[in-house]
């Protein structure tokens, strides 16, 4: 039970003999009544069974999602459940978001305690959790400063603006400072117009053109073409994912990132690492670029940072931050006390070296297990990835296999051109659960034959 305050106002007359010069509150008095009310119960708020929910969704929501025909109503650890009680092993983690699984006690405690204190104040004021989270991100990365937003695409929009502002700031006498961008094949940077312009898949962009101009797409991994274009000094920034998630789980080679770093330094161009999906422990490193020993000027984060609450972060060096002034960018909701408290709980747990070591160990075990179980199948072309960011490339559409897995109690995703099974489970997943996932994938492979 909780306490609810009810206010009732009524008018009173004020005698001329009173000492008041004028009636307070225009002669209105407010009375406060405390009553006990029952807190909302999410289980009582559900509409009904899965069939009813799916039917109702079709009547009230814009049809932007080709959803799988399953309703997920609760979760615990690495397990999800529908309203009828069916259990699913979650190897999607809300698209690499739920790094600590579902209902992590430290995360729940951080959220509930902060919700009882202060949820939102806007960025017109200072708030303690936002500063504490920024301090932790700076202490654990290359960066000197942080800008918070609400999603990965917003983090990349901030990086776009900061890159162009940096070029104007550092070249004040140039009539045409560098404004162009380089992105790469198979890239995905978001769905808002700026980030969308950096996303290579044409079918994402074409319905909304013209998008932001000035973007050149180059082959991922092609050093020479990138160097040639960067040397023309018309590029404000190069955007690259150290490991491409949506694009098909492709890892950059060290030589490629090293060459980009040197070319950008030589030309005064910024290097932006998009680690929205591959960052924050997913690869067994806190940041994916740590494996390569190459560091960016800007890094964008989002998905797992707040454990399921909406957040984005754009991490920058002092050199970049010095170009950004009051009013250059902003957000109403970004960096709220509630979300930042959740993110502190997530970051503190994942940044622990023993936690990262466990991710690396489990990722290696899972990848080897998948190669052993699936590698001999004619449909399986390659099993690749790092840590718990793994892709299984097929010679056909992955959809029949994904559907069969779901019907057998395993949730996985697609990637690439739809021919890659993407496995991004919660980072807390056990080896026993990974074995169960591999068994289901193996058992469901015949679905590709029938297709």
């Amino acid at each position: 039970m909780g306490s609810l305050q009810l206010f009732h106002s009524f008018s009173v007359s004020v005698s001329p003999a009173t000492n008041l010069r004028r009636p307070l509150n225009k002669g209105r008095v407010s009375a406060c009544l405390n009553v006990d009310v029952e807190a909302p119960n999410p289980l009582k708020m559900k509409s009904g069974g899965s069939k009813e929910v799916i039917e109702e969704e079709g009547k009230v929501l814009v049809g932007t999602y080709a959803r799988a025909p399953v309703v997920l109503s609760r979760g615990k650890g690495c397990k999800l459940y529908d309203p009828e009680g069916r259990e699913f092993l979650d190897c999607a983690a809300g698209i690499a978001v739920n790094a600590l699984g579902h209902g992590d006690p430290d995360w729940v405690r951080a959220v509930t305690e902060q919700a009882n204190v202060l949820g939102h104040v806007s960025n017109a004021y200072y708030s303690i959790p936002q500063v504490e989270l920024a301090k932790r991100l700076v202490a654990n990365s290359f960066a000197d400063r942080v800008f918070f937003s609400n999603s990965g695409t917003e983090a990349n929009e901030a990086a776009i603006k900061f890159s162009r502002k940096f070029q104007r700031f550092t070249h004040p006498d140039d009539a045409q400072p560098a404004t162009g961008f380089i992105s790469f094949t198979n890239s995905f940077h978001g769905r808002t117009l700026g980030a969308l312009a950096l996303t290579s898949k044409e079918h994402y962009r074409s319905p909304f053109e013209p998008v932001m101009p000035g973007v050149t797409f180059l082959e991922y991994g092609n050093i020479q073409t990138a160097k040639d274009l960067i040397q023309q000094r018309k590029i404000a920034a190069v955007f690259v994912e150290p490991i491409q998630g949506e694009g098909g789980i492709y890892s950059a080679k060290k030589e490629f990132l090293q060459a980009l770093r040197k070319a950008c330094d030589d030309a005064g161009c910024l290097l932006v690492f998009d680690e929205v999906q591959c960052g924050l422990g997913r690869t067994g490193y806190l940041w994916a670029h740590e494996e390569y020993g190459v560091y960016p000027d800007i890094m964008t984060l989002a998905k797992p940072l707040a454990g399921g609450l909406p957040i984005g972060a754009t991490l920058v060096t002092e050199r970049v931050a010095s170009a950004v002034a009051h009013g250059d960018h902003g957000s109403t909701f970004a960096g709220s006390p509630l979300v930042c408290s959740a993110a502190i709980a997530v970051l503190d747990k994942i940044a622990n070296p023993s936690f990262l070591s466990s991710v690396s160990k489990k990722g290696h075990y899972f990848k080897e297990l998948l190669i052993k179980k699936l590698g001999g199948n004619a449909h399986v072309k390659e099993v690749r990835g790092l840590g718990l960011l793994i892709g299984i490339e097929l010679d056909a559409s992955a959809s029949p296999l994904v559907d069969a897995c779901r019907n057998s109690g395993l949730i996985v995703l697609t990637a690439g051109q739809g021919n890659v099974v993407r496995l991004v489970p919660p980072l807390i997943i056990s080896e026993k659960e990974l074995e169960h996932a591999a068994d289901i994938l193996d058992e469901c492979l015949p679905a590709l034959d029938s297709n």
Side-chain angles (χ1 to χ4, degrees), residues 95-97 188-189 220 240-246 249-252 257 272-292 299-304 350 356 359 385-390 422 424 427:
I95 315 182
V97 168
F188 183 87
H189 296 290
Y220 189 70
V240 63
E241 299 157 272
I243 301 179
Q244 296 180 324
E246 169 76 15
I249 323 298
Y250 291 107
S251 300
L257 296 184
V272 182
F273 285 168
D274 180 335
E275 294 212 13
V276 167
Q277 186 161 165
C278 64
L280 200 61
R282 176 59 56 183
T283 63
Y285 296 87
L286 188 57
W287 316 119
H289 65 263
E290 290 179 330
E291 187 201 9
Y292 305 95
M299 176 172 67
T300 56
L301 305 173
K303 287 184 180 295
I350 292 178
L356 293 170
V359 174
L386 184 65
L388 289 172
L389 176 56
I390 296 175
R422 180 175 18 165
V424 284
L427 303 183

Side-chain angles (χ1 to χ4, degrees), residues 114 118-134 148 334-338 340-341:
Q114 185 60 51
L118 183 67
H120 172 77
V121 293
S122 88
N123 285 296
Y125 310 95
Y126 298 92
S127 67
I128 295 169
Q130 185 181 111
V131 175
E132 289 302 316
L133 176 58
F148 288 114
S336 74
L338 180 65
C340 286
S341 292

Side-chain angles (χ1 to χ4, degrees), residues 100-142:
L100 300 183
H102 306 279
D104 175 80
D106 295 324
W107 182 88
V108 170
R109 188 180 306 111
V111 171
T112 53
E113 288 180 357
Q114 185 60 51
N116 278 314
V117 176
L118 183 67
H120 172 77
V121 293
S122 88
N123 285 296
Y125 310 95
Y126 298 92
S127 67
I128 295 169
Q130 185 181 111
V131 175
E132 289 302 316
L133 176 58
K135 285 165 60 177
R136 281 166 164 80
L137 288 169
V138 167
N140 285 281
S141 73
F142 72 94

Side-chain angles (χ1 to χ4, degrees), residues 74-211:
R74 63 185 178 93
K76 187 63 178 175
C78 295
K79 302 293 177 59
L80 288 165
Y81 302 87
D82 72 5
E84 289 72 39
R86 287 192 302 164
E87 181 182 277
F88 301 88
L89 177 58
D90 184 8
C91 278
I95 315 182
V97 168
N98 299 308
L100 300 183
H102 306 279
D104 175 80
D106 295 324
W107 182 88
V108 170
R109 188 180 306 111
V111 171
T112 53
E113 288 180 357
Q114 185 60 51
N116 278 314
V117 176
L118 183 67
H120 172 77
V121 293
S122 88
N123 285 296
Y125 310 95
Y126 298 92
S127 67
I128 295 169
Q130 185 181 111
V131 175
E132 289 302 316
L133 176 58
K135 285 165 60 177
R136 281 166 164 80
L137 288 169
V138 167
N140 285 281
S141 73
F142 72 94
D144 299 302
R145 295 180 184 269
V146 182
F147 174 83
F148 288 114
S149 53
N150 307 286
S151 65
T153 193
E154 286 184 52
N156 282 321
E157 293 284 350
I160 290 169
K161 290 181 70 175
F162 294 170
S163 298
R164 283 192 169 170
K165 181 68 188 299
F166 173 82
Q167 295 298 337
R168 283 182 165 81
F169 180 80
T170 54
H171 301 89
D173 298 326
D174 287 8
Q176 292 292 332
T179 58
F181 295 98
I182 290 175
S183 189
F184 294 94
T185 53
N186 299 312
S187 63
F188 183 87
H189 296 290
R191 294 179 183 269
T192 50
L193 285 179
L196 183 63
L198 297 168
T199 295
S200 67
K201 289 185 179 179
E202 190 174 351
H203 73 270
Y204 284 140
R205 290 183 282 113
S206 59
F208 310 104
E209 291 178 338
V211 293

Side-chain angles (χ1 to χ4, degrees), residues 1-8 31-40:
M1 301 283 284
S3 179
L4 175 67
Q5 291 186 327
L6 300 179
F7 290 90
H8 182 69
C32 177
L33 174 66
N34 286 318
V35 297
D36 288 328
V37 296
E38 186 175 355

